[in-house]
Amino acid sequence: MPCDTAVTAAVATVDAPSAVAAAHAGDDARRPGPPRPAIRLPAIDTARCTGCGRCVGACGPHLLSLEVAHWKKSAVLHHAERCTGCRLCERRCPFGAITMVAASQ
């Protein structure tokens, strides 16, 4: 039974609320804040876009989707203010239909 006493003593000395607070102290740095403006945004050339969807799959924040206009599918950017400017969509496009442009354009 000395082992049970040692475990009980160790558990009793840990202040549960402060231990939890210490474990989650860095969470504020990882939590997403309000959307920040991107320096560069993807501009989609609908004449070159084939609607393959590779850019849609590459977009982590899920801001790109495929839409049909005049019987042709092409990628469309939604919620541009949430774009991180990571350029994954541009790199994934095999047809060069996406270029990154300044956010003010």
Side-chain angles (χ1 to χ4, degrees), residues 14-101:
V14 174
D15 182 18
S18 65
V20 171
H24 295 289
D27 280 359
D28 290 336
R30 291 187 297 256
R31 287 192 182 130
R36 63 180 192 274
I39 296 171
R40 299 181 78 68
L41 297 173
I44 301 159
D45 181 357
T46 56
R48 296 185 79 169
C49 179
T50 64
C52 69
R54 291 182 186 178
C55 60
V56 174
C59 184
H62 307 291
L63 302 177
L64 292 170
S65 69
L66 294 178
E67 292 187 3
V68 178
H70 306 289
W71 298 92
K72 183 181 184 297
K73 266 195 300 189
S74 63
V76 176
L77 175 67
H78 301 280
H79 305 291
E81 70 278 1
R82 294 184 184 166
C83 179
T84 62
C86 69
R87 302 179 74 160
L88 285 176
C89 57
E90 179 187 36
R91 284 184 257 153
R92 187 65 56 94
C93 180
F95 305 102
I98 300 176
T99 55
M100 302 301 283
V101 296

